[in-house]
Amino acid sequence: DQALSVMRRWDVDRALVYHTVSRDSDPQQGNGVVAGLSDPALLQVWAFDPAYVIPESPEHFLRRALAGGARAVLLNPLMRRIDLRRSPRVGQLARLLEQRRIPLLLAYWKTDPEEDLVDWYPLTDFCLDHPDLPVLVWEWRTRSNRPLFDALAGAGNLKVAVSALWQAQSVDQICETFGAQRLVFSLGLPHLDPGSFQAGVRYAGIGDEAKLRIAGGNLEQLIAEASYG
């Protein structure tokens, strides 16, 4: 009810929704809560635990997530300092998601908010390992835009949440250099003011078509192109 209330307040028709417990500590517990969402405006995001000793295989996890209504999968590489390219279970999951073109949301978060949490160069290599996998990246605040630009130049399947962009004209520059399809909208929840980021898109020096793509068109396209059956 709280999520839907916030969405109505900020004119959001549909949203990808995950549980912060899933992101920060216990994917299974958070997924259990998200699985109970029934409103079609709330698109479930299930979190994945990469621990090698877990009996459930990535294949079974994905089948269970899709049966429960998941539309994207979440992983926090910083929860236990996971190396995306060296984790066997992450590699298996990434290949499965890539086959179906199901988005992988990488939410980089530590206990205390910090800036520049993403190591963009290894992330670029991970994206290149799975070129057909849509990779959506979120962090609390991106200050080091040069590595970010290098990553966008190196991996065409990498997309960045606008709530992470805190430098003036970042949206304009990314659209001009890489295209509006490389950005996805985020309200910045749960840590940031949800009213902070619509203006960054609305008043960007880009065309209306690009604004509509960022505001929702890019995510809608990713979901439409994915195979959930």
Side-chain angles (χ1 to χ4, degrees):
D1 291 341
Q2 290 177 330
L4 291 170
S5 177
V6 170
M7 290 164 60
R8 285 191 294 269
R9 170 66 180 85
W10 299 107
D11 302 315
V12 176
D13 294 326
R14 295 206 297 169
L16 291 169
V17 178
Y18 64 84
H19 201 290
T20 51
V21 170
S22 295
R23 183 198 63 188
D24 297 346
S25 60
D26 190 338
Q28 184 68 14
Q29 180 181 347
N31 292 343
V33 177
V34 171
L37 300 176
S38 59
D39 194 295
L42 304 175
L43 305 180
Q44 299 179 26
V45 180
W46 283 40
F48 178 71
D49 193 328
Y52 189 80
V53 296
I54 291 178
E56 183 182 44
S57 68
E59 292 87 349
H60 188 272
F61 162 80
L62 184 57
R63 287 198 300 269
R64 185 165 60 87
L66 295 180
R71 290 297 176 264
V73 174
L74 172 75
L75 181 67
N76 178 3
L78 300 181
M79 184 170 66
R80 294 295 181 267
R81 296 188 299 173
I82 299 299
D83 187 325
L84 296 176
R85 302 187 75 199
R86 299 182 66 179
S87 168
R89 282 171 57 84
V90 170
Q92 294 171 33
L93 176 69
R95 288 188 289 273
L96 294 169
L97 295 175
E98 184 178 19
Q99 291 170 7
R100 293 174 171 268
R101 301 184 68 87
I102 294 175
L104 174 63
L105 172 56
L106 298 178
Y108 288 78
W109 178 256
K110 290 184 177 180
T111 304
D112 298 316
E114 299 179 36
E115 300 174 1
D116 298 327
L117 294 174
V118 179
D119 192 341
W120 293 100
Y121 296 102
L123 175 57
T124 301
D125 294 335
F126 173 77
C127 291
L128 292 175
D129 289 340
H130 308 281
D132 293 323
L133 172 63
V135 178
L136 282 55
V137 177
W138 175 95
E139 67 177 343
W140 184 71
R141 180 174 294 184
T142 300
R143 292 282 195 183
S144 299
N145 58 15
R146 288 161 179 79
L148 163 65
F149 295 157
D150 287 348
L152 288 170
N157 54 327
L158 177 64
K159 303 177 188 298
V160 179
V162 297
S163 63
L165 305 175
W166 284 72
Q167 292 179 318
Q169 286 83 52
S170 291
V171 171
D172 309 51
Q173 187 64 66
I174 290 174
C175 288
E176 178 182 344
T177 306
F178 306 105
Q181 74 277 6
R182 308 301 297 279
L183 296 173
V184 292
F185 189 74
S186 170
L187 288 176
L189 294 170
H191 308 287
L192 302 171
D193 184 343
S196 301
F197 305 103
Q198 290 178 333
V201 176
R202 183 181 298 276
Y203 296 111
I206 58 178
D208 289 343
E209 181 179 353
K211 293 178 182 180
L212 290 172
R213 287 188 65 95
I214 297 170
N218 290 332
L219 280 174
E220 293 285 4
Q221 182 177 348
L222 289 176
I223 292 170
E225 292 176 348
S227 175
Y228 298 107

